[in-house]
């Protein structure tokens, strides 16, 4: 019998005993300490470490309600989804996600590698730090987790079992509302809009009927296109990074959706980094150097994805009709069109919506922020409206630079 | 305690006792008889009737293996899927499916309305019987079961629960192979081809690389597009009919897929009826009259679907972005394109494939059958290759008549 045989929400004083009893991780003579380090809205994050050896572990526990409010009831099944996805992503893209040591269904915990030596990428980008390995790592992560979970590669019956296992209604609903609806019509009257841009947003976004029609089509693609096991929230706040390591975390939004959703999120978040640097850095070598790295990263994320996608396709395709001449090129182009569209969706919803990004909200100068927001939103419209014309990293970068140059 | 509290495969002698004990259907003083009447490959179909009142019931039981071979192990979950789908279809399209009286998880039985006063539509069409209500009934069935199970109408979380509940890997695999692969490449070397057409089929179908590329795209649409809860096998062999009644049966292939799959199957099977009449009836009033009814049915199936779809859309749409101007027209056009494509897929696989149809195989005259097959296959190619141009019943009929006139 153990007091951890039935569920309760742990305190830091509980978690040391929990780690010692339930994890085969620390030495018997270790001297453990524990602390709650989470700052998200939903889960509790404990760090437990051995003061003798320095070894440490992260224990993530799900409550039956969200951390911020007991009124917000959530299924603890999200912990199972996260643990299973991380293990699957580890198999597909070794080294690019934290290791999972244990998933505990009773206590709703996922115990995993401590990444305290990494930083959250968004915070580092706002400080204009460069990560030369990022495009290489994230393109590998995306090709491996996305292409290898499609019907192109997987046995179709196995793929259907995975679709079933990762149906994720609660989290998908958040994306359906906050990404695919509200930024374009303020439907729930809870959009946040930077006041100096309010009038411009109403004219250029809310009143653009053609844009809204294309968004509607894209929403139905998100709702119905069970293509790949996507991460579902692959922004720079879901990436732990240091110079020689990239780790994708927090796959709780994962489900079978269009793979362009993940790629477009990465591209859009690099555009936020560009817009931040453009707005906040003083002209000179340092700025040129940093902007140059961001631009090269945008190019490389797309072009390395394409290159590795084509290699992985040749190596892994099992579906006989996917080998028909012309199909690979057609399929890749649909992925790039989706990528462009989602780049536009993410750019829109982070400027006009409930979930803003610090890359933009921390721009102190009002005129500079106004310009940065319009760069993002006007690029977004081009990405969405002309999505079928994007074929390379250069096409993505050109939209950003053309829009910025014209403002 | 009852001997029906644990599963066994029934004989006609068991089924009378089963009906009396488990169904609240027959009067206490009824005099029951039972008979096995199934002739399919998979399940056992019992009819039980009261010789006094004439009341009767159908009891469908699933074995743990297919009826034709113990080597073919199948999940009995198919009975649950069938019973649940029939009940759901009854709620959505009252009167157009048999009533389900009971689903028994222990014995894997589905007890339902006896339709012995109806005939299988394919058999009746081969005898050139007309059913003036058919287009009206089947278009109602399709609009109600298809549009009302999409994200246009359903709460998205409820829809996802339904997607999960009706994931159907074993039966989908049959369609993926027999509809979307083998007719175009004889991949499993088990295609049946009418020998006088063998060389022509190799040239016109197997060696048409452009056709194969379009088929590959359509296969991925079938694999990934979770649009509607489709019947999945809506041919004239799955329809019980009489002059004043249409009943859709056998939804065991049901899953969330593209709604054009059902509509295209109905159109293609009416084209088989046309080709049969064209080949086997003597010229004269009777033939003109029958062909006229078939052609009107093809027109009406599509045009009544469009008309009722638009009415149901206005009445039932809940998704806010589906109300955006232009979206309804765009969505309907994607459905019509899918319908044209699937019309072509069904026409192809029933002529060149494992599962033939009697409308064609019973054409005794060799030259007439050869011509009928080419009408179907050349129409099929146009439906697939030019699928985006189909906008009305007249467009579908024109392809058939143009191809036939040129042969």
């Amino acid at each position: 019998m153990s007091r951890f045989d039935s569920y309760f929400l742990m305190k830091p004083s509980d978690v040391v005993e929990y780690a010692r009893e339930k994890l085969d991780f620390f030495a018997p003579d270790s001297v453990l300490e524990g602390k709650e380090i989470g700052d998200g809205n939903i889960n509790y994050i404990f760090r437990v470490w051995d003061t003798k050896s320095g070894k440490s572990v992260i224990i993530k526990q799900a409550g039956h309600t969200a951390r911020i409010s007991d009124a917000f009831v959530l299924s603890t099944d999200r912990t199972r989804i996260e643990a299973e996805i991380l293990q699957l992503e580890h198999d597909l893209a070794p080294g690019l996600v934290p290791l999972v040591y244990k998933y505990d269904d009773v206590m709703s915990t996922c115990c995993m590698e401590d990444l305290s030596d990494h930083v959250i990428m968004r915070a580092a980008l706002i400080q204009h730090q460069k990560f030369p390995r990022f495009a290489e790592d994230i393109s590998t992560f995306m090709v491996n987790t996305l292409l290898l979970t499609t019907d192109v590669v997987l046995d179709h019956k196995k793929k259907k079992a995975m679709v079933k296992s990762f149906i994720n209604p609660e989290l998908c609903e958040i994306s359906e509302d906050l990404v695919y609806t509200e930024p374009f019509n303020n439907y729930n009257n809870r959009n946040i809009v930077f006041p100096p841009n309010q009038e411009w947003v109403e004219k250029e976004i809310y009143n653009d009927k053609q844009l809204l029609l294309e968004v509607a089509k894209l929403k139905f693609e998100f709702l119905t296109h069970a293509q790949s096991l996507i991460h579902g929230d692959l922004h720079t706040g879901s990436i732990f990074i240091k110079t020689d390591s990239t780790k994708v975390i927090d796959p709780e939004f994962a489900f079978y959706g269009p793979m362009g959703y993940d790629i477009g999120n990465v591209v859009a978040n690099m555009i936020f980094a560009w817009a931040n640097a453009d707005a906040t850095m003083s002209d000179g070598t340092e700025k040129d150097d940093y902007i140059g790295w961001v631009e090269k990263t945008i190019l490389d994320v797309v072009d390395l994805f394409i290159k590795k996608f084509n290699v992985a396709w040749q190596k892994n395709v099992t579906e006989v009709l996917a080998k028909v001449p012309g199909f690979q090129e057609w399929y890749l182009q649909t992925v790039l069109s989706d990528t462009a569209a989602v780049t536009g969706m993410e750019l829109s919803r982070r400027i006009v919506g409930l979930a803003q990004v610090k890359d933009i909200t921390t721009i102190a100068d009002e005129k500079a922020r106004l310009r940065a927001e319009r760069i993002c939103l006007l690029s977004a419209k081009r990405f969405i409206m002309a999505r079928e014309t994007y074929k390379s990293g250069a096409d993505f970068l050109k939209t950003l630079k053309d829009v910025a140059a014209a403002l």
Side-chain angles (χ1 to χ4, degrees), chain A residues 39-87:
Chain A
D39 66 352
N41 298 329
I42 297 181
N43 298 305
Y44 299 82
I45 316 283
F46 300 95
R47 182 168 185 258
V48 179
W49 67 98
D50 176 7
T51 56
K52 280 170 70 180
S53 69
K55 277 185 79 173
S56 57
V57 66
I58 295 295
I59 299 176
K60 187 168 179 176
Q61 187 178 30
H64 289 114
T65 59
R67 178 180 180 137
I68 41 162
S69 165
D70 279 352
F72 197 15
V73 177
L74 283 174
S75 164
T76 54
D77 192 46
R78 66 188 188 273
T79 307
R80 174 193 67 80
I81 289 183
E82 177 166 349
E84 285 184 13
I85 298 268
L86 282 175
Q87 288 167 311

Side-chain angles (χ1 to χ4, degrees), chain A residues 143-160 162-163 225-229 256-257 259 305 308-324 326-335:
Chain A
V143 167
N144 289 16
T145 59
L146 297 174
L147 180 59
L148 302 188
T149 58
T150 64
D151 283 294
V152 176
V153 170
L154 279 189
D155 169 81
H156 304 329
K157 286 193 280 191
K158 183 172 176 194
K159 184 251 183 175
K160 288 182 184 73
M162 286 175 61
V163 171
H225 191 204
Q227 180 179 38
S228 294
L229 184 58
Y256 258 84
M259 69 169 82
F305 177 85
K308 294 176 189 179
F309 176 97
N310 285 329
V311 171
W313 184 288
Q314 291 305 322
K315 190 175 160 200
N316 295 291
V317 60
T318 60
E319 161 57 45
V320 61
L321 283 202
K323 296 175 186 170
V324 168
F327 185 74
Q328 178 181 348
E329 295 74 11
W330 172 82
Y331 190 97
L332 176 60
Q333 188 52 51
T334 66
V335 171

Side-chain angles (χ1 to χ4, degrees), chain A residues 336-407:
Chain A
L336 293 174
S337 298
D338 287 350
T339 298
V342 174
T343 301
M345 303 303 295
E346 173 74 0
L347 285 171
S348 301
R349 72 109 168 190
R350 296 296 203 171
I351 306 293
V352 180
L354 195 58
Q356 315 260 310
V357 282
K358 286 193 176 166
D359 318 56
I360 304 301
T361 58
T362 57
I363 299 171
D365 181 79
E366 183 175 303
K367 268 192 152 164
R369 178 167 170 189
L370 185 139
R371 173 181 147 84
E373 292 199 349
R374 292 185 184 184
I375 289 172
C376 293
L377 290 172
L378 289 174
S379 299
K381 288 177 70 164
R382 289 208 197 170
F383 286 126
I384 292 168
M385 299 306 290
R387 58 192 179 275
E388 289 177 9
T389 65
Y390 290 83
K391 296 180 188 311
S392 69
D395 293 339
F396 284 80
L397 189 57
K398 185 171 187 305
T399 292
L400 169 62
K401 297 197 71 160
D402 285 355
V403 166
L407 270 172

Side-chain angles (χ1 to χ4, degrees), chain A residues 2 16 69 79-80 92 111 160 165 222 252 282 306 339 372 377 393:
Chain A
S2 153
V16 165
S69 165
T79 307
R80 174 193 67 80
L92 294 169
C111 307
K160 288 182 184 73
S165 180
F222 187 77
E252 61 195 345
S282 310
I306 293 170
T339 298
L377 290 172

Side-chain angles (χ1 to χ4, degrees), chain A residues 101-125:
Chain A
Y101 302 129
K102 181 188 177 74
Y103 162 61
D104 176 347
D105 187 34
V106 173
M107 289 290 286
S108 286
T109 58
C110 177
C111 307
M112 64 183 104
E113 188 177 2
D114 181 17
L115 298 171
S116 302
D117 59 336
H118 292 60
V119 292
I120 288 291
M121 188 172 177
R122 187 184 310 284
L125 293 179

Side-chain angles (χ1 to χ4, degrees), chain A residues 210-237:
Chain A
Q210 286 307 110
L211 179 65
L212 199 59
L213 177 57
E214 297 310 307
V215 167
K217 296 176 188 174
L218 293 167
K219 182 170 184 178
F220 276 78
E221 158 115 349
F222 187 77
L223 285 164
T224 61
H225 191 204
Q227 180 179 38
S228 294
L229 184 58
I230 69 174
H231 179 281
D233 200 27
L234 195 53
H235 55 77
T236 47

